[in-house]
Amino acid sequence: MIRRPPRSTLSSSSAASDVYKRQVSTQSTGAVSADSMASFVLEPRTALGEFPEEPYTGTSGTDSELRWSMGLYGGVDIQNACDKLYGQDVHPFPQFMALQKYHLGGPDPLDYTNAYSTLDGKCWHYVSMGMSNLHREVYVPHLGEGLNGFGFELTLRATKMPGEDTAPIWVFALMQKLARHCFQNHRGFKHGHAAPVGPLVEGSTMNAVLFARDPQLECSETTRGRVEFLTMVGVTGAEFEAAINVAIKTGGDAGVGGFLHVLQEFIGEDLPTDLHRKCLMANPEFVAKVEALTSEVEAT
């Protein structure tokens, strides 16, 4: 059987703005609306076949079936990373796809986003395809030496809602908003960055995201450069302000990284996003651990 890679189917304080110069503006990243999803389509796994932009002519049933005849391209590497975690026989359901590709004049930079049910069955794990080069042609300019395109792809784990048997589209819409910001400003995100984006969905308590290295997907060294996987985790406004405060007092991105470590203790190592969880700033134990991140610096 031949497989196709990929499978088709900040409104913040002024102090925070001084630390984070590449925040997404509230004008470009408001809450996800139905209108923002108009250019997206979601498809169940389709019949496996040749990738249309570059037909595969290798041998079925071996590692070479995931490589194009003209060389190893980014889409294959991203799919390989997903396959290493979930297995080659597990296919994303659904895979989201931009109706018109960005390099063909469409508004949305991400060609695809895979959505998997996590190994424990509790979350949907989304993995973007489009912040790095997927095709034979180089459509995404390399942001730095040794990087493939922006050098990262976005991920997010969304806690499943009761009775939810298909991954919802709001994560794909959110990823597209952040991707547009990166493409328009020629700047990317990295571990320890933060962005206020408005409520992730209507009625959600989460209205900002923090960026961290994905705890499960390994960095990929492609023929066009390095690609790491940045997971986004939704946080409340109060949690976002606390993370920024830690960053200001302890040194930028590293400070948010420390906040992320504390966050993992309370919500899980994989940093899942629960749209309706309670704000942890109301938890005295959490607040004490966050304050401990800055207490030594303040004493000095």
Side-chain angles (χ1 to χ4, degrees), residues 1-291:
M1 179 181 292
I2 296 175
R3 301 168 67 218
R4 151 164 69 187
R7 300 178 177 88
S8 290
T9 36
L10 284 169
S11 162
S12 57
S13 67
S14 58
S17 298
D18 291 337
V19 176
Y20 294 97
K21 298 180 180 179
R22 56 169 63 93
Q23 288 178 347
V24 183
S25 69
T26 52
Q27 289 77 17
S28 61
T29 59
V32 177
S33 65
D35 290 342
S36 69
M37 302 179 189
S39 60
F40 308 148
V41 64
L42 69 158
E43 298 181 357
R45 177 173 59 85
T46 60
L48 300 175
E50 292 82 11
F51 187 51
E53 282 84 351
E54 184 60 46
Y56 166 74
T57 59
T59 303
S60 175
T62 70
D63 287 343
S64 64
E65 71 172 349
L66 284 178
R67 301 170 190 274
W68 285 299
S69 59
M70 298 299 290
L72 181 64
Y73 299 120
V76 174
D77 295 286
I78 298 167
Q79 191 60 60
N80 274 338
C82 295
D83 288 348
K84 187 173 182 179
L85 176 59
Y86 291 108
Q88 292 190 7
D89 295 328
V90 176
H91 304 286
F93 186 82
Q95 180 180 74
F96 299 94
M97 179 176 64
L99 287 177
Q100 185 178 10
K101 302 296 186 288
Y102 193 74
H103 63 268
L104 297 177
D108 304 310
L110 301 179
D111 285 3
Y112 310 93
T113 290
N114 287 348
Y116 297 90
S117 179
T118 53
L119 298 175
D120 61 9
K122 296 180 180 179
C123 297
W124 299 110
H125 188 191
Y126 296 75
V127 183
S128 76
M129 291 186 175
M131 301 302 297
S132 59
N133 285 287
L134 307 178
H135 311 283
R136 178 175 58 185
E137 297 82 0
V138 176
Y139 294 121
V140 185
H142 302 308
L143 195 62
E145 185 177 356
L147 299 181
N148 181 345
F150 285 92
F152 67 88
E153 292 291 347
L154 296 168
T155 77
L156 186 146
R157 291 168 180 80
T159 301
K160 291 182 180 179
M161 303 295 286
E164 197 172 63
D165 57 5
T166 301
I169 198 172
W170 68 264
V171 177
F172 185 46
L174 172 63
M175 286 181 169
Q176 291 286 18
K177 285 176 175 287
L178 292 167
R180 283 194 293 271
H181 164 75
C182 292
F183 276 74
Q184 291 166 3
N185 293 280
H186 307 289
R187 292 179 175 178
F189 295 106
K190 65 179 182 178
H191 176 86
H193 280 183
V197 294
L200 300 188
V201 298
E202 185 177 355
S204 173
T205 57
M206 305 297 112
N207 53 26
V209 293
L210 307 182
F211 296 83
R213 296 180 189 90
D214 192 289
Q216 291 181 305
L217 291 175
E218 298 179 1
C219 179
S220 180
E221 294 291 342
T222 76
T223 54
R224 289 214 176 101
R226 185 175 68 257
V227 178
E228 69 173 339
F229 295 91
L230 285 181
T231 196
M232 301 184 293
V233 55
V235 294
T236 67
E239 292 164 356
F240 171 80
E241 292 297 337
I244 296 300
N245 184 55
V246 171
I248 292 171
K249 292 181 178 180
T250 62
D253 304 337
V256 174
F259 184 91
L260 284 163
H261 283 301
V262 175
L263 190 63
Q264 284 179 302
E265 295 182 36
F266 287 81
I267 68 172
E269 289 293 319
D270 294 341
L271 293 170
T273 293
D274 183 339
L275 290 172
H276 303 293
R277 71 169 172 82
K278 295 181 180 179
C279 180
L280 288 170
M281 297 306 292
N283 183 326
E285 182 183 359
F286 180 82
V287 172
K289 291 195 173 188
V290 171
E291 290 177 346

